[in-house]
Amino acid sequence: MRENSIERRAPAALIPARGFTLPELVIVMILAGLMAAFALPKFDAALSLRNDAWKDQVQAAMRYAQKTAVSHRRLVCATVTTTSITLTISTTRGAACTAGLAGPGGGLVESSDSSDVTVTLSPSGVIYFQPDGRVTSDEAGSTATTRTFSFTGASSLVLYGETGYVE
């Protein structure tokens, strides 16, 4: 009976080896180091491009609001939060901003950023673009105000009150 149990066992040479060899592990570690040295800086550059893209959207929205206020001779309001911008326009001269502003593509001008990039407006509040091109702190247009947009990971933008120029 003992002979039967010996015959049923497979020889050690037929059992496949498991695991990795030392040279395979060394090669994998070298490749991981090379990828870290070359891929991570490119990934960081891609993140900074995303920061610049949001900054460019804010800049374009402010320029569009100012040009629309002048061309339509209407008050345009820009509501800026940390992650979105919404533009509205007055329906008649001297009225408050109540209608959504249509962009060049026909849709409403509403931009938002889903990444971790945020914008801080100083001084905070709604931005009013007057029909004469000035940027003011109120609907009446009595006080021109210069606004600064600060971004995480990107340079700041300045919106000049007297001219409406964005830099």
Side-chain angles (χ1 to χ4, degrees), residues 34-133:
L34 288 172
M35 286 180 64
F38 292 105
L40 286 179
K42 291 183 181 185
F43 182 70
D44 187 41
L47 288 178
S48 77
L49 286 177
R50 188 172 62 187
N51 296 349
D52 291 342
W54 176 230
K55 177 184 162 191
D56 290 344
Q57 282 184 351
V58 171
Q59 184 176 15
M62 294 301 106
R63 287 182 177 167
Y64 184 71
Q66 195 264 348
K67 300 299 181 196
T68 303
V70 172
S71 66
H72 287 74
R73 294 184 184 157
R74 302 271 191 275
L75 180 68
V76 174
C77 304
T79 305
V80 181
T81 66
T82 57
T83 58
S84 68
I85 297 173
T86 305
L87 299 181
T88 54
I89 190 168
S90 64
T91 53
T92 60
R93 289 187 190 158
C97 298
T98 56
L101 179 61
L108 295 179
V109 178
E110 296 177 325
S111 296
S112 63
D113 184 52
S114 60
S115 67
D116 58 352
V117 181
T118 59
V119 60
T120 305
L121 178 62
S122 176
S124 61
V126 178
I127 302 170
Y128 299 96
F129 292 89
Q130 299 297 325
D132 62 0

